[in-house]
Amino acid sequence: MIRILYFASLRERLGCAEEALQDVPSTLAGLRAQLAARGGAWVEVFADEQRVLAAVNQEMAVAGQTLQAGDEVGFFPPVTGG
Amino acid sequence: MDVEIRVQETALDAVAEVASVYAGNSSVGGVVSFIGLMRDMNQGDEVASMTLEHYPGMTEKALAAIVQEAGQRWELESVRLIHRVGEILPQDPIVLVAVASAHRGEAFRACEFMIDYLKTRAPFWKREQIADGQTRWVEARGSDDEAVSAWEKKS
């Protein structure tokens, strides 16, 4: 199982703050493809590689990052702090 | 290096934070601070207030990594990195970066480095409230990415 968190405008567009997935895709790219396959807002959000950043276990991650059971994945738009 | 990093919902007392970065350390020869304030205007619209959201856990790690990298690049005595979250009003300090070092050069450079990195690496998001109760998410700016690229060329 992995835990997925969605933040800021992504959370609002998807209508989802957090979920758990039982089947763990082998990579972050695989997870994105799986989420996009849900269609609707999900495909709109996850088709746009540039506008969605990801963190695995709270560290910035790239598409090729491997996933394993127990990981926490966060998806969010480009940051705007400071 | 004496480091304090905080993410807080309460008001940020910039003067007290700057005082604490050098108090009691007589090796400090200079302090440089940056205070980011909320403006009442953005993209031609009046902004009444702002809500800052973050990724608890990741934020603290990202800020710690930025301070650590600054500490490897420059000789620093002490750092304060404090960021507000929650409801913010115009003129409120949003972020404070204060750096103390033996000499001014290190403090100036480290302070600018840390705010530049925070802008693109730390998971905070601003949502602003404009006229008639409408709200919108603030868009990230390309110039912030360029500031970080410039530091990477210098390394």
Side-chain angles (χ1 to χ4, degrees), chain A residues 20-40:
Chain A
L21 270 193
Q22 290 304 325
D23 296 322
V24 183
S26 59
T27 64
L28 187 57
L31 174 61
R32 293 176 74 126
Q34 189 176 317
L35 296 173
R38 291 174 174 175

Side-chain angles (χ1 to χ4, degrees), chain A:
Chain A
M1 193 192 81
I2 55 170
R3 183 170 175 232
I4 312 177
L5 307 173
Y6 304 94
F7 292 92
S9 55
L10 249 67
R11 180 189 60 240
E12 293 186 348
R13 287 172 67 190
L14 299 171
C16 181
E18 181 175 348
E19 65 176 314
L21 270 193
Q22 290 304 325
D23 296 322
V24 183
S26 59
T27 64
L28 187 57
L31 174 61
R32 293 176 74 126
Q34 189 176 317
L35 296 173
R38 291 174 174 175
W42 295 85
V43 67
E44 283 168 33
V45 164
F46 286 101
D48 191 354
E49 194 88 12
Q50 300 293 317
R51 309 295 299 164
V52 179
L53 305 181
V56 175
N57 299 326
Q58 305 185 348
E59 305 258 3
M60 293 297 285
V62 293
Q65 166 99 35
T66 56
L67 298 178
Q68 47 193 314
D71 281 350
E72 175 181 300
V73 180
F75 287 111
F76 42 83
V79 302
T80 56

Side-chain angles (χ1 to χ4, degrees), chain A residues 81-82, chain B residues 33-36 66 70 81-83 94-97 99 108-122 144 147-148 151:
Chain B
S33 65
F34 172 81
I35 303 164
I66 292 166
L81 184 46
I82 320 288
H83 206 293
I94 300 172
V95 61
L96 170 107
V97 184
V99 186
F108 269 113
R109 284 187 280 277
C111 185
E112 189 175 18
F113 172 91
M114 285 191 276
I115 188 64
D116 283 351
Y117 272 66
L118 184 150
K119 285 260 179 191
T120 60
R121 300 262 172 101
D144 291 334
V148 164
W151 285 109

Side-chain angles (χ1 to χ4, degrees), chain B residues 2-87:
Chain B
D2 163 40
V3 175
E4 190 164 332
I5 295 167
R6 285 201 318 272
V7 177
Q8 63 185 42
E9 290 204 26
T10 51
L12 199 168
D13 184 344
V15 173
E17 299 296 346
V18 172
S20 86
V21 82
Y22 68 91
N25 183 347
S26 47
S27 312
V28 173
V31 172
V32 173
S33 65
F34 172 81
I35 303 164
L37 301 172
M38 185 189 155
R39 289 179 304 152
D40 64 0
M41 203 58 140
N42 191 27
Q43 296 179 319
D45 295 309
E46 275 185 46
V47 184
S49 68
M50 193 177 256
T51 306
L52 254 150
E53 173 181 336
H54 75 124
Y55 183 167
M58 179 174 173
T59 310
E60 292 79 359
K61 286 186 193 174
L63 297 178
I66 292 166
V67 173
Q68 194 189 1
E69 196 172 338
Q72 285 163 358
R73 287 187 179 224
W74 298 285
E75 195 78 28
L76 307 177
E77 289 290 330
S78 175
V79 173
R80 298 287 177 271
L81 184 46
I82 320 288
H83 206 293
R84 281 287 310 276
V85 288
E87 287 294 317

